[in-house]
Amino acid sequence: LSKPRSQYLPLLEMCVEEDPSDDRSMFWLGREYYFYGKYDECIRTLQRHLKMPSAQWDEERSASMRFISNAYSMKGDRPEARRWLYRAIAECPRVREPYLHMARLGYQENDWPLVFLMVKQALSITQKSGSYLLEAESWGYSLYDYGAICCYRLGLYKESYDYALQALQYAPNDERLK
């Protein structure tokens, strides 16, 4: 995201127009629409991606579903965002990213049992997939931070403290975590 992206969108639109059967280009176009804040286009394009017979890679399909969820969330439709995150988890339960996104949504809604479950599930995944779709945040302090907060809210103070200590190990200079 630190690189200039101004030429990406028109080139991706042209690429998809020239070859509408290229599932990878369709995914990248939908992702780019999300980055530009074109949420309706993002949703439509990524739903097209998911319907493509060649779009079989579960990790990329899960990422499409997360982008769709994020787009619905940005539009203020949290129930639809939640539905798409459940689909993202079901599509690829072996990666942490959809669990982190669902934990974040649960946090925003004060749904502490949901956050607790998502944190536990995500942290049970100990191997990174190695794909370009890996989100660094899924392997940093965030899951432990959500774990500390939700455990505190659930009255699980010892577990909350343990999660807080683990979060601090990942971000020792973060004043809020301290």
Side-chain angles (χ1 to χ4, degrees), residues 95-177:
V95 295
R96 284 185 175 186
E97 287 75 11
Y99 297 105
L100 174 62
H101 285 252
M102 185 67 87
R104 184 178 302 118
L105 185 68
Y107 171 83
Q108 292 166 349
E109 296 176 344
N110 297 321
D111 186 343
W112 308 121
L114 176 66
V115 177
F116 183 79
L117 177 63
M118 292 301 114
V119 166
K120 289 287 190 187
Q121 287 297 119
L123 293 177
S124 73
I125 299 167
T126 59
Q127 297 289 327
K128 295 179 182 179
S129 71
S131 88
Y132 79 95
L133 296 166
L134 186 136
E135 297 173 15
E137 185 182 7
S138 297
W139 296 92
Y141 75 88
S142 293
L143 285 164
Y144 297 103
D145 189 22
Y146 285 128
I149 294 166
C150 78
C151 284
Y152 181 83
R153 298 291 185 162
L154 293 170
L156 304 169
Y157 302 121
K158 170 74 170 96
E159 201 163 348
S160 174
Y161 180 72
D162 292 341
Y163 277 129
L165 289 178
Q166 289 173 302
L168 194 56
Q169 287 178 2
Y170 283 91
N173 297 320
D174 186 298
E175 289 301 317
R176 186 185 60 80
L177 292 178

Side-chain angles (χ1 to χ4, degrees), residues 42-83:
C42 166
I43 292 166
R44 275 194 300 277
T45 303
L46 292 175
Q47 285 177 340
R48 279 181 59 199
H49 169 253
L50 293 169
K51 291 176 184 169
M52 298 176 80
S54 58
Q56 294 296 312
W57 183 23
D58 62 348
E59 197 169 342
E60 189 173 71
R61 290 176 58 81
S62 179
S64 277
M65 293 171 188
R66 289 194 311 273
F67 278 111
I68 291 169
S69 171
N70 290 343
Y72 275 116
S73 189
M74 295 302 289
K75 289 169 50 94
D77 189 345
R78 283 203 180 143
E80 195 62 22
R82 183 184 285 241
R83 279 190 280 283

Side-chain angles (χ1 to χ4, degrees), residues 11-25:
L11 289 174
L12 283 167
E13 288 173 330
M14 185 185 324
C15 187
V16 167
E17 186 177 315
E18 289 175 1
D19 186 2
S21 66
D22 181 0
D23 63 276
R24 185 64 43 87
S25 294

